[in-house]
């Protein structure tokens, strides 16, 4: 709810800035576009942040908290292809080892090399710097089967109790 209010406020300010630009430069045509990355989640606590046709995938803060101190992350190679729900790697912690599943199908275009040397950053920056892979999404229709942030928050609250 707070996120929606914040987004509406930011959009309103952005539109105001665009309107100001248009009135201050009547002889110039100003075209401003902005893209917001959208986030989606699986019940198993993987996320995908979508920007155009590229999805950045990792595990959520909830997942890293449940796993404990992360000591190893196994990632695929660039160019590997995965279907939705297929395991693409694993995470090992002092408590357990767990497979990580692809929330959407596609081809790996980048892996987070930093996780090889510093897997522990997953514990501090799970949903930002500690992403696992970036994929070119094959079918963005699969995103509709995932949870949006508010639904995921509710899912985590239910799991915690």
């Amino acid at each position: 709810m707070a996120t929606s209010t914040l987004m509406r406020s930011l959009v309103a300010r952005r539109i105001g800035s665009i309107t100001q630009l248009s009135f201050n430069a009547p002889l110039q045509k100003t075209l401003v576009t902005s893209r917001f990355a959208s986030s989606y989640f699986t019940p198993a606590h993987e996320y995908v942040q979508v920007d155009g046709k590229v999805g950045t995938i990792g595990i959520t803060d909830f997942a890293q908290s449940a796993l404990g101190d992360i000591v190893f992350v196994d990632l695929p190679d660039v160019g590997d292809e995965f279907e939705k729900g297929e395991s693409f790697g694993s995470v090992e912690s002092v408590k357990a080892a767990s497979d990580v599943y692809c929330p959407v199908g596609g081809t790996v275009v980048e892996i987070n090399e930093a996780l090889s040397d510093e897997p522990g950053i997953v514990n501090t920056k799970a949903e930002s710097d500690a992403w696992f892979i970036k994929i070119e999404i094959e079918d963005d229709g699969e995103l509709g089967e995932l949870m949006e942030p508010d639904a995921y928050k509710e899912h985590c609250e239910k799991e915690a109790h």
Side-chain angles (χ1 to χ4, degrees):
M1 183 81 151
T3 304
S4 299
T5 304
L6 177 62
M7 290 298 284
R8 280 195 295 267
S9 175
L10 290 172
V11 169
R13 279 191 251 166
R14 185 75 167 168
I15 290 171
S17 298
I18 293 168
T19 304
Q20 241 181 351
L21 285 173
S22 297
F23 286 118
N24 290 337
L27 298 177
Q28 295 177 326
K29 289 187 176 182
T30 305
L31 176 62
V32 178
T33 61
S34 60
R35 289 171 35 192
F36 296 102
S38 300
S39 296
Y40 301 90
F41 303 87
T42 70
H45 307 288
E46 289 95 7
Y47 70 82
V48 57
Q49 295 172 340
V50 180
D51 188 6
K53 289 292 284 179
V54 176
T56 301
I57 298 171
I59 64 170
T60 66
D61 190 55
F62 187 95
Q64 72 76 22
S65 179
L67 286 168
D69 294 335
I70 307 293
V71 295
F72 180 75
V73 178
D74 181 38
L75 298 174
D77 294 322
V78 170
D80 287 353
E81 295 180 8
F82 296 95
E83 293 183 18
K84 179 183 182 212
E86 186 176 1
S87 173
F88 70 81
S90 63
V91 178
E92 294 180 19
S93 73
V94 294
K95 291 183 184 179
S98 180
D99 284 337
V100 184
Y101 299 93
C102 222
V104 292
T107 303
V108 178
V109 294
E110 187 177 349
I111 62 169
N112 190 346
E113 299 280 355
L115 297 181
S116 297
D117 297 329
E118 296 181 66
I121 63 173
V122 174
N123 293 114
T124 57
K125 299 178 180 180
E127 295 181 41
S128 59
D129 295 346
W131 55 272
F132 288 17
I133 62 173
K134 293 186 180 188
I135 65 167
E136 183 175 346
I137 299 171
E138 187 174 306
D139 178 7
D140 60 3
E142 293 177 337
L143 296 168
E145 301 168 22
L146 302 173
M147 290 181 277
E148 292 188 1
D150 288 342
Y152 179 69
K153 181 180 177 186
E154 187 177 312
H155 171 74
C156 290
E157 289 170 355
K158 287 179 183 175
E159 266 195 27
H161 296 292

